Short mmCIF file of all heavy atoms in Angstrom, two decimals:
data_model
loop_
_atom_site.label_atom_id
_atom_site.label_comp_id
_atom_site.label_asym_id
_atom_site.label_seq_id
_atom_site.Cartn_x
_atom_site.Cartn_y
_atom_site.Cartn_z
N LYS L 176 -9.47 -3.25 -1.08
CA LYS L 176 -8.94 -2.21 -0.23
C LYS L 176 -9.91 -1.01 -0.19
O LYS L 176 -9.53 0.03 0.33
CB LYS L 176 -7.57 -1.71 -0.76
CG LYS L 176 -7.67 -1.15 -2.11
CD LYS L 176 -6.23 -0.46 -2.48
CE LYS L 176 -6.43 0.29 -3.71
NZ LYS L 176 -5.18 1.04 -4.12
N VAL L 178 -12.47 0.96 1.75
CA VAL L 178 -13.04 1.00 3.17
C VAL L 178 -14.57 0.93 3.11
O VAL L 178 -15.14 0.08 3.72
CB VAL L 178 -12.61 2.08 3.95
CG1 VAL L 178 -13.10 2.32 5.31
CG2 VAL L 178 -11.02 2.19 4.04
N SER L 216 -1.15 -1.90 7.29
CA SER L 216 -1.60 -0.46 7.22
C SER L 216 -1.55 0.14 8.53
O SER L 216 -1.87 -0.50 9.59
CB SER L 216 -3.11 -0.48 6.56
OG SER L 216 -3.64 0.79 6.88
N CYS L 217 -1.47 1.53 8.63
CA CYS L 217 -1.55 2.21 9.94
C CYS L 217 -2.89 2.25 10.37
O CYS L 217 -3.14 2.59 11.39
CB CYS L 217 -0.95 3.60 9.71
SG CYS L 217 -2.06 4.67 8.69
N THR L 218 -3.83 1.76 9.53
CA THR L 218 -5.21 1.69 10.01
C THR L 218 -5.38 0.62 11.23
O THR L 218 -6.26 0.93 12.06
CB THR L 218 -6.11 0.97 8.79
OG1 THR L 218 -7.40 1.19 9.33
CG2 THR L 218 -5.92 -0.44 8.57
N TYR L 241 -12.49 -3.80 6.13
CA TYR L 241 -11.18 -3.79 5.52
C TYR L 241 -10.06 -3.77 6.58
O TYR L 241 -9.11 -4.47 6.51
CB TYR L 241 -11.07 -2.58 4.56
CG TYR L 241 -9.71 -2.27 4.27
CD1 TYR L 241 -8.88 -2.90 3.40
CD2 TYR L 241 -9.13 -1.17 4.90
CE1 TYR L 241 -7.68 -2.54 2.98
CE2 TYR L 241 -7.79 -0.70 4.58
CZ TYR L 241 -7.02 -1.50 3.64
OH TYR L 241 -5.85 -1.07 3.46
N ASN L 271 -0.03 6.92 4.54
CA ASN L 271 -0.85 7.06 3.29
C ASN L 271 -0.06 7.24 1.97
O ASN L 271 0.62 8.29 1.75
CB ASN L 271 -1.61 8.37 3.36
CG ASN L 271 -2.80 8.28 4.37
OD1 ASN L 271 -2.60 7.84 5.39
ND2 ASN L 271 -4.01 8.54 3.95
N ASN L 290 -11.99 7.29 -3.70
CA ASN L 290 -12.26 7.45 -2.27
C ASN L 290 -11.11 8.25 -1.69
O ASN L 290 -11.32 9.04 -0.77
CB ASN L 290 -12.23 6.09 -1.59
CG ASN L 290 -13.43 5.31 -2.00
OD1 ASN L 290 -14.51 5.71 -1.95
ND2 ASN L 290 -13.15 4.03 -2.42
N ASN L 291 -9.90 8.14 -2.19
CA ASN L 291 -8.70 8.65 -1.55
C ASN L 291 -8.46 10.12 -2.05
O ASN L 291 -8.87 10.49 -3.12
CB ASN L 291 -7.50 7.87 -1.83
CG ASN L 291 -7.66 6.43 -1.15
OD1 ASN L 291 -7.68 5.49 -1.83
ND2 ASN L 291 -7.69 6.41 0.16
N LEU L 292 -7.79 10.86 -1.24
CA LEU L 292 -7.66 12.33 -1.30
C LEU L 292 -6.86 12.67 -2.70
O LEU L 292 -7.47 13.43 -3.47
CB LEU L 292 -7.04 12.87 -0.17
CG LEU L 292 -6.63 14.43 -0.23
CD1 LEU L 292 -7.97 15.18 -0.39
CD2 LEU L 292 -5.89 14.84 1.02
N VAL L 293 -5.81 12.18 -2.79
CA VAL L 293 -4.90 12.69 -3.99
C VAL L 293 -5.52 12.31 -5.37
O VAL L 293 -5.57 13.19 -6.15
CB VAL L 293 -3.47 12.09 -3.77
CG1 VAL L 293 -2.63 12.44 -4.96
CG2 VAL L 293 -2.83 12.86 -2.63
N PHE L 295 -8.59 12.17 -5.96
CA PHE L 295 -9.70 13.04 -6.13
C PHE L 295 -9.17 14.41 -6.47
O PHE L 295 -9.80 15.21 -7.34
CB PHE L 295 -10.55 13.08 -4.90
CG PHE L 295 -11.98 13.42 -5.13
CD1 PHE L 295 -12.90 12.38 -5.10
CD2 PHE L 295 -12.41 14.73 -5.62
CE1 PHE L 295 -14.30 12.63 -5.46
CE2 PHE L 295 -13.73 14.85 -5.96
CZ PHE L 295 -14.70 13.78 -5.83
N LEU L 307 -13.67 19.33 -5.30
CA LEU L 307 -13.18 18.45 -4.28
C LEU L 307 -13.83 18.80 -2.94
O LEU L 307 -14.09 19.92 -2.58
CB LEU L 307 -11.63 18.65 -4.11
CG LEU L 307 -11.08 18.21 -2.88
CD1 LEU L 307 -10.86 16.60 -2.98
CD2 LEU L 307 -9.63 18.78 -2.67
N LYS L 308 -14.37 17.79 -2.29
CA LYS L 308 -14.93 17.92 -0.94
C LYS L 308 -13.90 17.75 0.17
O LYS L 308 -13.29 16.69 0.14
CB LYS L 308 -16.21 17.04 -0.62
CG LYS L 308 -17.32 17.23 -1.74
CD LYS L 308 -18.50 16.39 -1.36
CE LYS L 308 -19.59 16.53 -2.32
NZ LYS L 308 -19.28 16.18 -3.69
N VAL L 309 -13.78 18.67 0.98
CA VAL L 309 -12.93 18.60 2.18
C VAL L 309 -13.74 18.15 3.23
O VAL L 309 -14.72 18.83 3.78
CB VAL L 309 -12.17 20.02 2.52
CG1 VAL L 309 -11.36 19.82 3.75
CG2 VAL L 309 -11.39 20.36 1.27
N PHE L 310 -13.51 16.93 3.77
CA PHE L 310 -14.35 16.17 4.75
C PHE L 310 -14.05 16.79 6.29
O PHE L 310 -13.26 16.25 6.92
CB PHE L 310 -14.21 14.78 4.78
CG PHE L 310 -14.66 14.15 3.38
CD1 PHE L 310 -13.93 13.10 2.85
CD2 PHE L 310 -15.93 14.60 2.90
CE1 PHE L 310 -14.35 12.61 1.59
CE2 PHE L 310 -16.35 14.02 1.72
CZ PHE L 310 -15.59 12.96 0.99
N ALA L 321 -8.23 17.29 8.59
CA ALA L 321 -7.61 16.09 9.20
C ALA L 321 -6.13 15.80 8.72
O ALA L 321 -5.83 16.38 7.64
CB ALA L 321 -8.48 14.82 8.80
N ARG L 323 -2.75 13.49 7.96
CA ARG L 323 -2.25 12.15 7.65
C ARG L 323 -0.69 12.39 7.26
O ARG L 323 -0.24 13.43 6.99
CB ARG L 323 -2.91 11.52 6.37
CG ARG L 323 -4.32 11.30 6.46
CD ARG L 323 -4.67 10.20 7.48
NE ARG L 323 -6.10 9.94 7.46
CZ ARG L 323 -6.99 10.56 8.35
NH1 ARG L 323 -6.58 11.43 9.22
NH2 ARG L 323 -8.25 10.23 8.24
N TYR L 325 1.66 11.38 4.55
CA TYR L 325 1.66 10.95 3.12
C TYR L 325 3.01 10.59 2.60
O TYR L 325 3.97 11.41 2.58
CB TYR L 325 1.08 12.12 2.23
CG TYR L 325 -0.43 12.44 2.65
CD1 TYR L 325 -0.72 13.38 3.55
CD2 TYR L 325 -1.47 11.79 1.94
CE1 TYR L 325 -2.06 13.74 3.82
CE2 TYR L 325 -2.79 12.05 2.33
CZ TYR L 325 -3.01 13.01 3.31
OH TYR L 325 -4.35 13.35 3.55
N VAL L 364 -5.49 18.21 5.15
CA VAL L 364 -6.07 18.17 3.88
C VAL L 364 -5.91 19.55 3.22
O VAL L 364 -5.46 19.56 2.01
CB VAL L 364 -7.63 17.86 3.89
CG1 VAL L 364 -8.36 17.91 2.60
CG2 VAL L 364 -7.81 16.54 4.66
N ARG L 387 -16.34 12.87 7.13
CA ARG L 387 -16.62 11.55 6.64
C ARG L 387 -16.65 10.52 7.73
O ARG L 387 -15.73 10.48 8.51
CB ARG L 387 -15.61 11.16 5.57
CG ARG L 387 -15.86 9.93 4.87
CD ARG L 387 -14.85 9.65 3.67
NE ARG L 387 -13.44 9.47 3.99
CZ ARG L 387 -12.41 9.22 3.28
NH1 ARG L 387 -12.65 9.16 1.95
NH2 ARG L 387 -11.19 8.99 3.71
N ASP L 390 -13.58 8.40 9.67
CA ASP L 390 -12.30 9.02 9.58
C ASP L 390 -11.72 9.33 10.92
O ASP L 390 -12.38 9.77 11.76
CB ASP L 390 -12.42 10.32 8.84
CG ASP L 390 -12.26 10.21 7.29
OD1 ASP L 390 -11.77 9.22 6.86
OD2 ASP L 390 -12.43 11.31 6.62
N ILE L 391 -10.34 9.20 10.94
CA ILE L 391 -9.76 9.54 12.31
C ILE L 391 -9.33 11.02 12.03
O ILE L 391 -9.27 11.57 10.95
CB ILE L 391 -8.57 8.69 12.61
CG1 ILE L 391 -7.48 8.70 11.43
CG2 ILE L 391 -8.96 7.27 12.89
CD1 ILE L 391 -6.18 8.16 12.02
N1 LIG S 1928 -10.50 13.46 2.15
C1 LIG S 1928 -11.20 14.58 1.79
N2 LIG S 1928 -11.82 14.53 0.57
C2 LIG S 1928 -11.83 13.47 -0.34
C3 LIG S 1928 -11.14 12.33 0.11
C4 LIG S 1928 -10.37 12.46 1.33
O1 LIG S 1928 -11.25 15.53 2.40
O2 LIG S 1928 -12.44 13.48 -1.34
C5 LIG S 1928 -9.61 13.50 3.41
C6 LIG S 1928 -10.07 12.45 4.24
O3 LIG S 1928 -11.28 12.74 5.06
C7 LIG S 1928 -8.93 12.19 5.26
C8 LIG S 1928 -7.70 12.54 4.18
O4 LIG S 1928 -8.36 13.35 3.22
O5 LIG S 1928 -8.83 13.28 6.20
C9 LIG S 1928 -7.14 11.25 3.67
O6 LIG S 1928 -8.13 10.53 3.07
P1 LIG S 1928 -7.92 9.09 2.25
O7 LIG S 1928 -9.21 8.48 1.79
O8 LIG S 1928 -6.94 9.49 1.10
O9 LIG S 1928 -6.93 8.25 3.23
P2 LIG S 1928 -7.49 7.72 4.66
O10 LIG S 1928 -6.44 8.13 5.52
O11 LIG S 1928 -8.89 7.85 4.94
O12 LIG S 1928 -7.32 6.15 4.21
C10 LIG S 1928 -6.12 5.48 4.49
C11 LIG S 1928 -6.00 4.30 3.50
C12 LIG S 1928 -6.98 3.19 3.85
C13 LIG S 1928 -6.93 2.95 5.27
C14 LIG S 1928 -7.25 4.22 6.05
C15 LIG S 1928 -7.40 3.94 7.59
O13 LIG S 1928 -6.07 4.72 2.18
O14 LIG S 1928 -6.54 2.09 3.07
O15 LIG S 1928 -6.23 5.07 5.85
O16 LIG S 1928 -7.71 5.31 8.10
F1 LIG S 1928 -7.98 2.10 5.66
#
Side-chain angles (χ1 to χ4, degrees):
K176 63 169 188 178
V178 177
S216 164
C217 72
T218 192
Y241 159 77
N271 287 52
N290 294 307
N291 296 114
L292 178 62
V293 171
F295 212 105
L307 168 72
K308 295 183 178 69
V309 175
F310 297 134
R323 298 287 185 274
Y325 296 92
V364 176
R387 181 170 70 178
D390 269 350
I391 60 161

